[in-house]
Each structure stands twice: as structure tokens, then as C-alpha cells.
Amino acid sequence: MTKTDEDRTETRTAFGRWLHEHALFLVCMAIFLLCLAGMAVSGFLVYNEEQSSHATAPIPFGDYLSSGHFIEATFENWESEFLQMGAYVVLTVFLFQKGSSESKPIGKHTEQDDDPRHAEVGPDTPWPVRRGGLVLVLYENSLAIFFFVLFGLSFWFHAVGGAEAYSEEQLEHGLPAVSTIEFLGTSQFWFESMQNWQSEFLAVAAIVGASVYLRQRGSPESKPVATPHHETGA
């Protein structure tokens, strides 16, 4: 085998290892993109069907992607997902559920509670831990901050897209259009938000409660199959 062949084999091996190590994220992102594409196509067809029923000319697919109909439908769902994850990250810091794999053990110290300021610093220690100060304060809360920032952005884009879609309906009925701020005060906006928020927190409650008694062998979201129901945490 030549040096070039060896390099190619090593590259393929390294790439295969990288795929194996990141497969969960990659597969979830692939499913997300496929579903987003499916949503865009089906939403485009639904929107133009509604346009035709109102004797209005259909719009091109590219225009649909920047329409209030698509923006609202996309971000009202993202908004609820990011709220759920951000709230869950914060609530699991302080609250417990006896017997659940989703809870920290009750009355026991865990590594997640360790103060990073007292950690032994090495070359692989994250830079914010080595830097300390305000950078570390932000870093030790960065996961919750990340989700709440995404929630805030999605909340706003839901309002922007929703105001455009709501205004179209208003104008069709001879009523005035609304601004984004005005749309935030409508029952329509809060109905759209709450119908998504309630389902997200129901899903969280379901996995927290179900993981006390039910198992999935091989999943880190489940306790080991033979573990007693009362045992809490991993």
C-alpha cells in the first residue's frame, strides 16, 4: 500500500470515527431538516389552496418561505421547544423527583453541583473555567442562557410572522391590520403560544414520571432495567 493509499484509509477511518461519535446530533438534525422541508412544502400547498378559495393569486414557493404564514408556524413551535428546554435545565437544578432518571439524587452531592472555582485546572479544562470572573459566571449558566435567548428570538419572530398572517385575515374581512406589538396583545397570539407550551410541559412531566417505573434498555434517559423504582437519578 502506498503512502497516498494509507492517508486515504486513515482519512476514511477518522471520518467514520467522527460520524460514530456525533451520530445522535447528526441524525436528529437530518430528521429536523427533512421535517422542516416537509412542513414548508405542505404549508405552501395549504396556503395557496386558501389563496385560491379567496380568489387570490397563488404565490411562488420562495415568497411563501418569507410569508407570515410560514414564519409564524415555524417559530411558534420553536418558541415552545426552547422554553421547555430552558425551563427544564433550570428546574432540575433545584427540584427533584424521587425515583426518576431525570432527577438528581435526593440528598446527595453530585458532580454537577461542584463549584468550578475549586476544580483542578488542566490543559483540557474549558477556557472560561481557567479565565474565571464574569466569564465563568456566564459559562456556568450558559446552557440555560442559550435556550432562553433562543426562546426570546423565537417568541419575537412568532409575533412578527403572526402579525403579518393575522393582518392578512383582518384585511380580508375589512378590518385594520395590526403591528407586531399589537398582535402580542391579541388572544390569537397567546392561544397559539399556550397550545404549544402546554404540550411541551406535558411531555416533560410524562418522561419525568414515567422514568420512575418504566425502562428502556440501553438509553441514558432510563435507569438500568434492574434498578429499583425508588432509586433516583442515573
Side-chain angles (χ1 to χ4, degrees):
M1 181 180 292
T2 65
K3 179 65 174 176
T4 302
D5 290 337
E6 291 178 353
D7 290 341
R8 289 174 180 168
T9 300
E10 185 176 342
T11 299
R12 285 196 296 268
T13 301
F15 182 64
R17 186 185 309 115
W18 183 85
L19 287 176
H20 178 71
E21 292 174 348
H22 299 86
L24 182 58
F25 174 79
L26 293 172
V27 169
C28 286
M29 287 301 298
I31 295 172
F32 157 70
L33 292 173
L34 287 172
C35 291
L36 182 63
M39 172 188 163
V41 172
S42 56
F44 168 68
L45 296 174
V46 168
Y47 182 80
N48 276 337
E49 286 174 4
E50 292 177 352
Q51 292 289 92
S52 298
S53 68
H54 291 90
T56 305
I59 64 173
F61 184 67
D63 290 346
Y64 174 70
L65 294 180
S66 60
S67 70
H69 187 274
F70 179 72
I71 293 173
E72 177 186 36
T74 300
F75 286 100
E76 73 174 80
N77 283 282
W78 291 12
E79 164 197 312
S80 61
E81 297 292 344
F82 294 134
L83 173 63
Q84 174 211 55
M85 295 306 298
Y88 188 56
V89 166
V90 173
L91 291 175
T92 53
V93 174
F94 307 103
L95 304 179
F96 304 91
Q97 175 57 55
K98 183 177 180 180
S100 176
S101 63
E102 298 295 313
S103 169
K104 292 188 295 184
I106 300 174
K108 296 181 181 179
H109 181 81
T110 65
E111 291 183 355
Q112 291 88 343
D113 294 322
D114 290 344
D115 190 335
R117 293 158 188 80
H118 304 148
E120 184 176 340
V121 176
D124 293 330
T125 302
W127 175 79
V129 178
R130 290 184 274 117
R131 178 69 174 81
L134 178 60
V135 173
L136 177 54
V137 173
L138 293 173
Y139 183 67
E140 64 186 351
N141 296 285
S142 58
L143 187 59
I145 292 172
F146 172 73
F147 283 120
F148 282 123
V149 167
L150 291 178
F151 163 70
L153 292 173
S154 298
F155 184 89
W156 178 250
F157 281 114
H158 169 201
V160 170
E164 181 179 331
Y166 186 79
S167 293
E168 285 184 9
E169 293 184 3
Q170 290 284 94
L171 293 173
E172 288 174 1
H173 293 86
L175 299 172
V178 298
S179 66
T180 299
I181 299 300
E182 288 173 332
F183 182 61
L184 285 171
T186 65
S187 57
Q188 178 67 27
F189 174 80
W190 290 105
F191 170 70
E192 292 170 356
S193 292
M194 293 298 174
Q195 70 174 334
N196 286 285
W197 294 5
Q198 56 87 18
S199 64
E200 298 300 334
F201 284 99
L202 173 62
V204 170
I207 192 171
V208 168
S211 65
V212 176
Y213 304 103
L214 306 180
R215 308 286 188 268
Q216 179 56 59
R217 183 179 176 186
S219 174
E221 296 303 311
S222 167
K223 294 186 294 187
V225 177
T227 300
H229 295 325
H230 62 78
E231 186 169 319
T232 308

